[in-house]
Amino acid sequence: MAELTGDLLDRRAIRLAEEAADRDEAIRRCGEALVDTGAVHPGYVETMLARERSVSTYVGEGVAIPHGTLAGKDLVHRDALAVLRFPAGVDWGGQPVTVCVAIAARGDGHVELLASLAEILLDADRARALREATEPEDVLALLVPAPEDSNR
Amino acid sequence: MGSINGKDIHKVVVACDAGMGSSVMLASQLRKQLKKFSVTVEHTPVNSIPGDADVVITHNGLAARARAAAPDKVVVPFQVFLGDPAVTAVVKAIESGGEVSG
């Protein structure tokens, strides 16, 4: 599991002091993190913007999960996530977003981390901890399920 | 289109455009909620909904596409990703019987 996460959520893709003037810029920042870590072809970023224009990826608690369209799947090199935090917030079609968990996936390698994100969003305290995280370790501790996920 | 009784639901499919984000998250929650029942939960792109799906859950904005792709299925649209009443109603129907319509 540890090595799986190393590949899936590259430390260089955890960027917690980002700034963006609007949603499109935030998505481009997310796309850059995925491009920089070799997870996607640069063309994937446009499909992330396209997806957001058709259906918002806002999932609640100040969190959005931008990702590409079905057509963009071919531009994904490997399953990967990026976590970007915008401390000043970004207007996401009327909802304030602080954290983006950007997704690139061809397969199901990321399913467990998204399942644990869903759990976090259903727990107001942990959701706040995610929004306020300033260290990559804090993000990893929240998102990476502990073995048998019961140390909390 | 039509309706189905919760007792007859064996496969729930959560569909979104790419099948990599929102559907994955919602499917993980449903799997957890339905662990005790013999119901399979899958996440797929909206244009590859499997033929043996009994109920298709999808975002409002994709419901028309889901209905076109799977005209003989019960399609349940939702608005919010976590805790949507439409999704809760499907879980309740599976737990205790009752009709799900779409």
Side-chain angles (χ1 to χ4, degrees):
Chain A
M1 185 57 50
E3 70 189 60
L4 179 149
T5 307
D7 228 23
L8 191 66
L9 182 50
D10 191 310
R11 265 170 182 273
R12 292 168 301 152
I14 305 179
R15 303 177 175 186
L16 304 178
E18 293 290 302
E19 285 176 34
D22 56 25
R23 186 175 75 176
D24 279 10
E25 190 182 344
I27 291 170
R28 287 203 176 87
R29 308 287 301 155
C30 288
E32 269 169 38
L34 293 170
V35 171
D36 290 350
T37 50
V40 300
H41 181 279
Y44 183 74
V45 183
E46 283 307 312
T47 79
M48 294 173 77
L49 291 164
R51 155 64 207 234
E52 206 66 47
R53 286 182 197 118
S54 68
V55 179
S56 168
T57 64
Y58 181 73
V59 288
E61 288 289 342
V63 177
I65 54 167
H67 56 272
T69 58
L70 188 58
K73 248 181 177 172
D74 291 339
L75 302 169
V76 174
H77 301 316
R78 60 178 168 86
D79 295 353
L81 302 179
V83 177
L84 276 75
R85 177 169 169 267
F86 300 89
V90 177
D91 175 15
W92 212 272
Q95 305 280 359
V97 159
T98 308
V99 174
C100 289
V101 178
I103 303 166
R106 302 177 67 89
D108 281 342
H110 65 310
V111 167
E112 261 181 89
L113 281 200
L114 281 197
S116 82
L117 176 62
E119 294 294 316
I120 291 168
L121 299 182
L122 293 168
D123 176 339
D125 291 337
R126 293 175 69 202
R128 188 183 327 109
L130 180 64
R131 287 194 301 272
E132 292 176 356
T134 52
E135 299 300 326
E137 284 71 22
D138 300 340
V139 171
L140 287 166
L142 280 163
L143 273 179
V144 180
E148 292 310 306
D149 101 322
S150 60
N151 65 341
R152 211 164 262 274
Chain B
M1 290 292 251
S3 73
I4 187 169
N5 191 283
K7 303 270 181 236
D8 300 321
I9 297 176
H10 301 292
K11 183 180 274 194
V12 175
V13 167
V14 186
C16 69
D17 172 68
M20 71 166 94
S22 32
S23 65
V24 173
M25 237 168 73
L26 181 53
S28 74
Q29 277 301 304
L30 281 173
R31 252 173 232 130
K32 208 174 147 194
Q33 289 169 0
L34 296 173
K35 214 187 297 182
K36 297 192 292 286
F37 303 90
S38 54
V39 175
T40 310
V41 182
E42 287 182 7
H43 56 93
T44 67
V46 74
N47 57 2
S48 42
I49 293 167
D52 59 350
D54 297 308
V55 172
V56 178
I57 296 178
T58 192
H59 190 273
N60 249 342
L62 294 170
R65 272 174 67 192
R67 289 200 172 100
D72 55 333
K73 310 292 183 200
V74 175
V75 174
V76 178
F78 66 86
Q79 189 64 53
V80 292
F81 284 102
L82 297 170
D84 193 286
V87 178
T88 308
V90 173
V91 172
K92 285 233 160 67
I94 291 170
E95 282 170 353
S96 47
E99 293 294 310
V100 174
S101 54

Short mmCIF file of all heavy atoms in Angstrom, two decimals, chain B residues 8-69:
data_model
loop_
_atom_site.label_atom_id
_atom_site.label_comp_id
_atom_site.label_asym_id
_atom_site.label_seq_id
_atom_site.Cartn_x
_atom_site.Cartn_y
_atom_site.Cartn_z
N ASP B 8 -35.48 -6.73 -5.87
CA ASP B 8 -35.04 -7.25 -7.17
C ASP B 8 -33.78 -6.57 -7.69
O ASP B 8 -33.36 -6.81 -8.82
CB ASP B 8 -36.17 -7.09 -8.20
CG ASP B 8 -37.42 -7.83 -7.78
OD1 ASP B 8 -37.28 -8.94 -7.23
OD2 ASP B 8 -38.53 -7.30 -7.96
N ILE B 9 -33.21 -5.70 -6.85
CA ILE B 9 -32.00 -4.99 -7.30
C ILE B 9 -30.76 -5.80 -6.94
O ILE B 9 -30.51 -6.10 -5.78
CB ILE B 9 -31.92 -3.59 -6.65
CG1 ILE B 9 -33.11 -2.73 -7.11
CG2 ILE B 9 -30.59 -2.90 -7.02
CD1 ILE B 9 -33.18 -1.35 -6.44
N HIS B 10 -30.02 -6.21 -7.95
CA HIS B 10 -28.80 -6.97 -7.71
C HIS B 10 -27.56 -6.23 -8.16
O HIS B 10 -26.47 -6.50 -7.68
CB HIS B 10 -28.88 -8.34 -8.41
CG HIS B 10 -30.05 -9.14 -7.93
ND1 HIS B 10 -30.12 -9.63 -6.65
CD2 HIS B 10 -31.21 -9.47 -8.55
CE1 HIS B 10 -31.28 -10.27 -6.50
NE2 HIS B 10 -31.95 -10.17 -7.63
N LYS B 11 -27.74 -5.36 -9.09
CA LYS B 11 -26.58 -4.58 -9.53
C LYS B 11 -26.94 -3.10 -9.68
O LYS B 11 -27.86 -2.74 -10.41
CB LYS B 11 -26.01 -5.10 -10.85
CG LYS B 11 -24.75 -4.33 -11.25
CD LYS B 11 -24.16 -4.82 -12.55
CE LYS B 11 -23.22 -6.00 -12.32
NZ LYS B 11 -22.39 -6.27 -13.51
N VAL B 12 -26.19 -2.27 -8.96
CA VAL B 12 -26.35 -0.83 -9.05
C VAL B 12 -25.12 -0.28 -9.77
O VAL B 12 -23.99 -0.64 -9.44
CB VAL B 12 -26.44 -0.19 -7.64
CG1 VAL B 12 -26.48 1.33 -7.75
CG2 VAL B 12 -27.66 -0.71 -6.89
N VAL B 13 -25.36 0.54 -10.78
CA VAL B 13 -24.25 1.14 -11.50
C VAL B 13 -24.27 2.65 -11.28
O VAL B 13 -25.30 3.29 -11.43
CB VAL B 13 -24.34 0.82 -13.01
CG1 VAL B 13 -23.38 1.69 -13.80
CG2 VAL B 13 -24.04 -0.65 -13.24
N VAL B 14 -23.12 3.18 -10.86
CA VAL B 14 -22.99 4.62 -10.74
C VAL B 14 -22.25 5.08 -11.99
O VAL B 14 -21.13 4.64 -12.25
CB VAL B 14 -22.20 5.01 -9.48
CG1 VAL B 14 -22.21 6.53 -9.32
CG2 VAL B 14 -22.80 4.35 -8.24
N ALA B 15 -22.90 5.93 -12.76
CA ALA B 15 -22.32 6.33 -14.05
C ALA B 15 -21.95 7.80 -14.05
O ALA B 15 -22.70 8.63 -13.55
CB ALA B 15 -23.31 6.05 -15.17
N CYS B 16 -20.77 8.11 -14.58
CA CYS B 16 -20.47 9.51 -14.86
C CYS B 16 -19.76 9.56 -16.21
O CYS B 16 -19.64 8.54 -16.88
CB CYS B 16 -19.69 10.20 -13.74
SG CYS B 16 -18.01 9.65 -13.53
N ASP B 17 -19.34 10.73 -16.62
CA ASP B 17 -18.82 10.83 -17.98
C ASP B 17 -17.63 9.91 -18.21
O ASP B 17 -17.63 9.07 -19.09
CB ASP B 17 -18.44 12.28 -18.30
CG ASP B 17 -17.72 12.36 -19.64
OD1 ASP B 17 -18.38 12.10 -20.66
OD2 ASP B 17 -16.51 12.62 -19.66
N ALA B 18 -16.60 10.07 -17.38
CA ALA B 18 -15.39 9.31 -17.60
C ALA B 18 -15.30 8.07 -16.70
O ALA B 18 -14.51 7.18 -16.93
CB ALA B 18 -14.17 10.19 -17.37
N GLY B 19 -16.13 8.04 -15.66
CA GLY B 19 -16.07 6.91 -14.73
C GLY B 19 -14.79 6.91 -13.92
O GLY B 19 -14.31 5.87 -13.49
N MET B 20 -14.21 8.09 -13.67
CA MET B 20 -12.96 8.10 -12.90
C MET B 20 -13.01 8.97 -11.65
O MET B 20 -12.10 8.93 -10.84
CB MET B 20 -11.78 8.52 -13.78
CG MET B 20 -11.75 9.97 -14.18
SD MET B 20 -10.12 10.43 -14.85
CE MET B 20 -10.35 10.22 -16.61
N GLY B 21 -14.05 9.76 -11.48
CA GLY B 21 -14.04 10.69 -10.35
C GLY B 21 -15.24 10.54 -9.44
O GLY B 21 -15.25 9.73 -8.51
N SER B 22 -16.26 11.32 -9.76
CA SER B 22 -17.43 11.36 -8.89
C SER B 22 -18.10 10.00 -8.75
O SER B 22 -18.53 9.61 -7.67
CB SER B 22 -18.42 12.37 -9.44
OG SER B 22 -18.34 12.44 -10.84
N SER B 23 -18.18 9.25 -9.85
CA SER B 23 -18.84 7.95 -9.77
C SER B 23 -18.06 7.00 -8.88
O SER B 23 -18.64 6.18 -8.17
CB SER B 23 -19.03 7.34 -11.16
OG SER B 23 -17.78 7.06 -11.75
N VAL B 24 -16.75 7.14 -8.89
CA VAL B 24 -15.91 6.28 -8.06
C VAL B 24 -16.18 6.55 -6.59
O VAL B 24 -16.33 5.63 -5.77
CB VAL B 24 -14.41 6.53 -8.36
CG1 VAL B 24 -13.52 5.78 -7.39
CG2 VAL B 24 -14.09 6.15 -9.79
N MET B 25 -16.28 7.84 -6.27
CA MET B 25 -16.50 8.22 -4.88
C MET B 25 -17.86 7.76 -4.38
O MET B 25 -17.98 7.21 -3.30
CB MET B 25 -16.37 9.73 -4.75
CG MET B 25 -15.33 10.10 -3.76
SD MET B 25 -14.93 11.84 -3.84
CE MET B 25 -16.34 12.53 -3.11
N LEU B 26 -18.87 7.99 -5.18
CA LEU B 26 -20.21 7.61 -4.77
C LEU B 26 -20.34 6.09 -4.69
O LEU B 26 -20.94 5.55 -3.76
CB LEU B 26 -21.23 8.21 -5.75
CG LEU B 26 -22.70 7.92 -5.47
CD1 LEU B 26 -23.08 8.32 -4.05
CD2 LEU B 26 -23.59 8.69 -6.45
N ALA B 27 -19.75 5.39 -5.65
CA ALA B 27 -19.83 3.92 -5.64
C ALA B 27 -19.17 3.35 -4.38
O ALA B 27 -19.66 2.39 -3.80
CB ALA B 27 -19.18 3.34 -6.90
N SER B 28 -18.08 3.98 -3.94
CA SER B 28 -17.40 3.46 -2.74
C SER B 28 -18.30 3.60 -1.52
O SER B 28 -18.35 2.73 -0.66
CB SER B 28 -16.07 4.18 -2.53
OG SER B 28 -16.28 5.50 -2.04
N GLN B 29 -19.03 4.72 -1.47
CA GLN B 29 -19.96 4.91 -0.36
C GLN B 29 -21.09 3.90 -0.41
O GLN B 29 -21.48 3.33 0.61
CB GLN B 29 -20.55 6.33 -0.44
CG GLN B 29 -19.66 7.38 0.17
CD GLN B 29 -19.37 7.08 1.63
OE1 GLN B 29 -20.27 6.94 2.44
NE2 GLN B 29 -18.11 6.95 1.96
N LEU B 30 -21.64 3.67 -1.59
CA LEU B 30 -22.76 2.74 -1.73
C LEU B 30 -22.33 1.32 -1.38
O LEU B 30 -23.07 0.58 -0.73
CB LEU B 30 -23.30 2.77 -3.16
CG LEU B 30 -24.21 3.95 -3.48
CD1 LEU B 30 -24.55 3.97 -4.95
CD2 LEU B 30 -25.50 3.88 -2.66
N ARG B 31 -21.12 0.95 -1.81
CA ARG B 31 -20.61 -0.39 -1.50
C ARG B 31 -20.60 -0.60 0.00
O ARG B 31 -20.95 -1.65 0.51
CB ARG B 31 -19.19 -0.56 -2.04
CG ARG B 31 -19.13 -1.46 -3.24
CD ARG B 31 -17.74 -1.47 -3.85
NE ARG B 31 -17.88 -1.18 -5.26
CZ ARG B 31 -17.20 -0.26 -5.91
NH1 ARG B 31 -16.29 0.46 -5.29
NH2 ARG B 31 -17.42 -0.06 -7.18
N LYS B 32 -20.18 0.44 0.70
CA LYS B 32 -20.10 0.35 2.15
C LYS B 32 -21.50 0.23 2.77
O LYS B 32 -21.74 -0.61 3.63
CB LYS B 32 -19.41 1.62 2.66
CG LYS B 32 -18.69 1.41 3.94
CD LYS B 32 -17.93 2.64 4.33
CE LYS B 32 -17.92 2.73 5.84
NZ LYS B 32 -17.50 4.06 6.29
N GLN B 33 -22.41 1.05 2.27
CA GLN B 33 -23.76 1.04 2.83
C GLN B 33 -24.50 -0.25 2.50
O GLN B 33 -25.39 -0.66 3.25
CB GLN B 33 -24.55 2.24 2.28
CG GLN B 33 -24.07 3.55 2.87
CD GLN B 33 -24.66 4.76 2.12
OE1 GLN B 33 -25.42 4.62 1.18
NE2 GLN B 33 -24.31 5.96 2.56
N LEU B 34 -24.13 -0.90 1.41
CA LEU B 34 -24.87 -2.08 0.97
C LEU B 34 -24.11 -3.38 1.22
O LEU B 34 -24.46 -4.43 0.69
CB LEU B 34 -25.20 -1.95 -0.53
CG LEU B 34 -26.12 -0.78 -0.90
CD1 LEU B 34 -26.23 -0.63 -2.41
CD2 LEU B 34 -27.51 -0.96 -0.28
N LYS B 35 -23.07 -3.29 2.05
CA LYS B 35 -22.20 -4.44 2.30
C LYS B 35 -22.99 -5.68 2.71
O LYS B 35 -22.67 -6.79 2.31
CB LYS B 35 -21.20 -4.07 3.39
CG LYS B 35 -19.84 -4.71 3.21
CD LYS B 35 -18.92 -4.47 4.39
CE LYS B 35 -18.61 -3.00 4.59
NZ LYS B 35 -17.69 -2.76 5.72
N LYS B 36 -24.02 -5.47 3.51
CA LYS B 36 -24.78 -6.60 4.05
C LYS B 36 -25.68 -7.27 3.02
O LYS B 36 -26.22 -8.33 3.27
CB LYS B 36 -25.67 -6.14 5.22
CG LYS B 36 -24.89 -5.60 6.40
CD LYS B 36 -25.79 -5.42 7.62
CE LYS B 36 -26.83 -4.32 7.47
NZ LYS B 36 -26.28 -2.95 7.54
N PHE B 37 -25.87 -6.64 1.89
CA PHE B 37 -26.82 -7.16 0.91
C PHE B 37 -26.09 -7.73 -0.30
O PHE B 37 -24.95 -7.36 -0.56
CB PHE B 37 -27.78 -6.05 0.47
CG PHE B 37 -28.50 -5.43 1.62
CD1 PHE B 37 -27.95 -4.34 2.27
CD2 PHE B 37 -29.69 -5.96 2.09
CE1 PHE B 37 -28.59 -3.78 3.37
CE2 PHE B 37 -30.32 -5.41 3.19
CZ PHE B 37 -29.77 -4.31 3.83
N SER B 38 -26.75 -8.63 -1.00
CA SER B 38 -26.06 -9.23 -2.15
C SER B 38 -26.29 -8.34 -3.38
O SER B 38 -26.97 -8.71 -4.32
CB SER B 38 -26.57 -10.65 -2.40
OG SER B 38 -27.97 -10.62 -2.53
N VAL B 39 -25.74 -7.16 -3.28
CA VAL B 39 -25.88 -6.19 -4.37
C VAL B 39 -24.48 -5.77 -4.83
O VAL B 39 -23.64 -5.43 -4.01
CB VAL B 39 -26.66 -4.94 -3.89
CG1 VAL B 39 -26.70 -3.88 -4.98
CG2 VAL B 39 -28.07 -5.32 -3.46
N THR B 40 -24.25 -5.85 -6.11
CA THR B 40 -22.97 -5.41 -6.67
C THR B 40 -23.08 -3.93 -7.03
O THR B 40 -24.09 -3.49 -7.56
CB THR B 40 -22.68 -6.19 -7.97
OG1 THR B 40 -22.87 -7.57 -7.70
CG2 THR B 40 -21.28 -5.95 -8.45
N VAL B 41 -22.03 -3.19 -6.71
CA VAL B 41 -22.00 -1.77 -7.09
C VAL B 41 -20.81 -1.55 -8.01
O VAL B 41 -19.68 -1.90 -7.68
CB VAL B 41 -21.87 -0.85 -5.86
CG1 VAL B 41 -21.88 0.62 -6.29
CG2 VAL B 41 -22.98 -1.12 -4.85
N GLU B 42 -21.07 -1.01 -9.19
CA GLU B 42 -19.99 -0.73 -10.14
C GLU B 42 -20.01 0.74 -10.54
O GLU B 42 -21.05 1.38 -10.47
CB GLU B 42 -20.17 -1.56 -11.42
CG GLU B 42 -19.85 -3.02 -11.23
CD GLU B 42 -19.99 -3.81 -12.52
OE1 GLU B 42 -20.22 -3.20 -13.59
OE2 GLU B 42 -19.88 -5.04 -12.44
N HIS B 43 -18.84 1.26 -10.95
CA HIS B 43 -18.82 2.60 -11.52
C HIS B 43 -18.35 2.50 -12.95
O HIS B 43 -17.41 1.77 -13.25
CB HIS B 43 -17.91 3.52 -10.69
CG HIS B 43 -16.51 3.02 -10.55
ND1 HIS B 43 -15.51 3.38 -11.41
CD2 HIS B 43 -15.97 2.16 -9.67
CE1 HIS B 43 -14.40 2.77 -11.05
NE2 HIS B 43 -14.64 2.02 -10.00
N THR B 44 -19.06 3.19 -13.85
CA THR B 44 -18.70 3.09 -15.27
C THR B 44 -18.93 4.43 -15.95
O THR B 44 -19.64 5.28 -15.44
CB THR B 44 -19.61 2.07 -16.01
OG1 THR B 44 -20.95 2.59 -16.04
CG2 THR B 44 -19.60 0.72 -15.36
N PRO B 45 -18.32 4.61 -17.13
CA PRO B 45 -18.70 5.76 -17.95
C PRO B 45 -20.16 5.60 -18.38
O PRO B 45 -20.65 4.48 -18.52
CB PRO B 45 -17.78 5.66 -19.17
CG PRO B 45 -16.63 4.81 -18.72
CD PRO B 45 -17.22 3.84 -17.72
N VAL B 46 -20.81 6.72 -18.61
CA VAL B 46 -22.24 6.70 -18.87
C VAL B 46 -22.56 5.98 -20.18
O VAL B 46 -23.65 5.42 -20.34
CB VAL B 46 -22.79 8.15 -18.85
CG1 VAL B 46 -22.40 8.93 -20.08
CG2 VAL B 46 -24.29 8.17 -18.64
N ASN B 47 -21.60 5.93 -21.11
CA ASN B 47 -21.91 5.23 -22.35
C ASN B 47 -21.45 3.78 -22.38
O ASN B 47 -21.45 3.14 -23.41
CB ASN B 47 -21.38 6.01 -23.57
CG ASN B 47 -19.90 6.24 -23.46
OD1 ASN B 47 -19.27 5.79 -22.50
ND2 ASN B 47 -19.32 6.94 -24.43
N SER B 48 -21.04 3.25 -21.21
CA SER B 48 -20.81 1.80 -21.18
C SER B 48 -21.45 1.17 -19.95
O SER B 48 -20.83 0.41 -19.22
CB SER B 48 -19.32 1.48 -21.29
OG SER B 48 -18.53 2.34 -20.50
N ILE B 49 -22.71 1.47 -19.77
CA ILE B 49 -23.48 0.90 -18.67
C ILE B 49 -23.72 -0.58 -18.98
O ILE B 49 -24.23 -0.92 -20.05
CB ILE B 49 -24.82 1.65 -18.53
CG1 ILE B 49 -24.57 3.09 -18.08
CG2 ILE B 49 -25.74 0.93 -17.55
CD1 ILE B 49 -25.77 4.02 -18.21
N PRO B 50 -23.34 -1.47 -18.07
CA PRO B 50 -23.48 -2.91 -18.37
C PRO B 50 -24.94 -3.33 -18.49
O PRO B 50 -25.82 -2.78 -17.84
CB PRO B 50 -22.80 -3.59 -17.17
CG PRO B 50 -22.72 -2.56 -16.11
CD PRO B 50 -22.73 -1.22 -16.77
N GLY B 51 -25.18 -4.32 -19.34
CA GLY B 51 -26.53 -4.78 -19.63
C GLY B 51 -27.26 -5.36 -18.44
O GLY B 51 -28.49 -5.36 -18.39
N ASP B 52 -26.50 -5.85 -17.44
CA ASP B 52 -27.18 -6.49 -16.30
C ASP B 52 -27.40 -5.53 -15.13
O ASP B 52 -27.75 -5.95 -14.04
CB ASP B 52 -26.40 -7.72 -15.84
CG ASP B 52 -24.98 -7.39 -15.42
OD1 ASP B 52 -24.54 -6.24 -15.67
OD2 ASP B 52 -24.32 -8.27 -14.85
N ALA B 53 -27.24 -4.24 -15.38
CA ALA B 53 -27.51 -3.26 -14.32
C ALA B 53 -29.01 -3.22 -14.04
O ALA B 53 -29.82 -3.30 -14.96
CB ALA B 53 -27.03 -1.87 -14.75
N ASP B 54 -29.38 -3.14 -12.77
CA ASP B 54 -30.80 -3.00 -12.43
C ASP B 54 -31.16 -1.53 -12.24
O ASP B 54 -32.27 -1.12 -12.57
CB ASP B 54 -31.11 -3.78 -11.16
CG ASP B 54 -30.88 -5.26 -11.35
OD1 ASP B 54 -31.43 -5.82 -12.32
OD2 ASP B 54 -30.12 -5.86 -10.55
N VAL B 55 -30.26 -0.79 -11.63
CA VAL B 55 -30.50 0.63 -11.38
C VAL B 55 -29.24 1.40 -11.78
O VAL B 55 -28.12 0.96 -11.50
CB VAL B 55 -30.81 0.89 -9.88
CG1 VAL B 55 -30.87 2.38 -9.59
CG2 VAL B 55 -32.12 0.24 -9.48
N VAL B 56 -29.43 2.53 -12.43
CA VAL B 56 -28.32 3.39 -12.81
C VAL B 56 -28.45 4.70 -12.04
O VAL B 56 -29.49 5.37 -12.12
CB VAL B 56 -28.32 3.69 -14.32
CG1 VAL B 56 -27.17 4.62 -14.69
CG2 VAL B 56 -28.24 2.39 -15.12
N ILE B 57 -27.43 5.05 -11.28
CA ILE B 57 -27.43 6.30 -10.54
C ILE B 57 -26.47 7.24 -11.24
O ILE B 57 -25.32 6.87 -11.51
CB ILE B 57 -26.99 6.05 -9.08
CG1 ILE B 57 -28.01 5.15 -8.38
CG2 ILE B 57 -26.83 7.37 -8.32
CD1 ILE B 57 -27.65 4.80 -6.95
N THR B 58 -26.93 8.44 -11.54
CA THR B 58 -26.07 9.35 -12.27
C THR B 58 -26.39 10.81 -11.92
O THR B 58 -27.48 11.10 -11.42
CB THR B 58 -26.20 9.12 -13.80
OG1 THR B 58 -25.15 9.82 -14.46
CG2 THR B 58 -27.53 9.62 -14.35
N HIS B 59 -25.44 11.68 -12.17
CA HIS B 59 -25.66 13.11 -11.91
C HIS B 59 -26.78 13.63 -12.82
O HIS B 59 -26.90 13.22 -13.97
CB HIS B 59 -24.36 13.88 -12.16
CG HIS B 59 -24.42 15.29 -11.69
ND1 HIS B 59 -24.89 16.30 -12.48
CD2 HIS B 59 -24.09 15.84 -10.50
CE1 HIS B 59 -24.84 17.43 -11.80
NE2 HIS B 59 -24.35 17.19 -10.60
N ASN B 60 -27.57 14.53 -12.25
CA ASN B 60 -28.63 15.21 -13.00
C ASN B 60 -28.24 15.58 -14.42
O ASN B 60 -28.99 15.35 -15.37
CB ASN B 60 -28.94 16.53 -12.29
CG ASN B 60 -30.31 16.48 -11.67
OD1 ASN B 60 -31.14 15.64 -12.03
ND2 ASN B 60 -30.56 17.38 -10.73
N GLY B 61 -27.05 16.17 -14.54
CA GLY B 61 -26.60 16.68 -15.82
C GLY B 61 -26.31 15.59 -16.83
O GLY B 61 -26.12 15.86 -18.01
N LEU B 62 -26.25 14.34 -16.38
CA LEU B 62 -25.94 13.23 -17.28
C LEU B 62 -27.12 12.27 -17.44
O LEU B 62 -27.03 11.28 -18.17
CB LEU B 62 -24.73 12.44 -16.76
CG LEU B 62 -23.40 13.19 -16.74
CD1 LEU B 62 -22.35 12.40 -15.98
CD2 LEU B 62 -22.92 13.43 -18.17
N ALA B 63 -28.23 12.59 -16.77
CA ALA B 63 -29.36 11.65 -16.76
C ALA B 63 -29.90 11.39 -18.16
O ALA B 63 -30.24 10.25 -18.50
CB ALA B 63 -30.46 12.17 -15.83
N ALA B 64 -29.97 12.44 -18.97
CA ALA B 64 -30.51 12.25 -20.33
C ALA B 64 -29.62 11.30 -21.12
O ALA B 64 -30.10 10.41 -21.83
CB ALA B 64 -30.63 13.59 -21.03
N ARG B 65 -28.31 11.48 -20.98
CA ARG B 65 -27.39 10.58 -21.69
C ARG B 65 -27.50 9.15 -21.18
O ARG B 65 -27.43 8.19 -21.93
CB ARG B 65 -25.95 11.07 -21.52
CG ARG B 65 -25.55 12.08 -22.59
CD ARG B 65 -24.18 12.66 -22.31
NE ARG B 65 -23.11 11.67 -22.43
CZ ARG B 65 -21.87 11.89 -22.00
NH1 ARG B 65 -21.55 13.03 -21.42
NH2 ARG B 65 -20.94 10.96 -22.13
N ALA B 66 -27.67 9.03 -19.85
CA ALA B 66 -27.80 7.68 -19.27
C ALA B 66 -29.07 7.00 -19.78
O ALA B 66 -29.05 5.82 -20.13
CB ALA B 66 -27.82 7.77 -17.75
N ARG B 67 -30.15 7.76 -19.87
CA ARG B 67 -31.42 7.18 -20.34
C ARG B 67 -31.31 6.77 -21.81
O ARG B 67 -31.85 5.74 -22.21
CB ARG B 67 -32.57 8.17 -20.15
CG ARG B 67 -32.92 8.36 -18.68
CD ARG B 67 -34.33 8.92 -18.48
NE ARG B 67 -34.65 8.90 -17.06
CZ ARG B 67 -34.57 9.98 -16.27
NH1 ARG B 67 -34.21 11.15 -16.77
NH2 ARG B 67 -34.85 9.86 -14.98
N ALA B 68 -30.58 7.57 -22.57
CA ALA B 68 -30.41 7.23 -23.98
C ALA B 68 -29.53 5.98 -24.13
O ALA B 68 -29.78 5.12 -24.97
CB ALA B 68 -29.79 8.40 -24.73
N ALA B 69 -28.52 5.88 -23.26
CA ALA B 69 -27.59 4.75 -23.36
C ALA B 69 -28.19 3.47 -22.81
O ALA B 69 -27.82 2.38 -23.23
CB ALA B 69 -26.29 5.10 -22.63
#
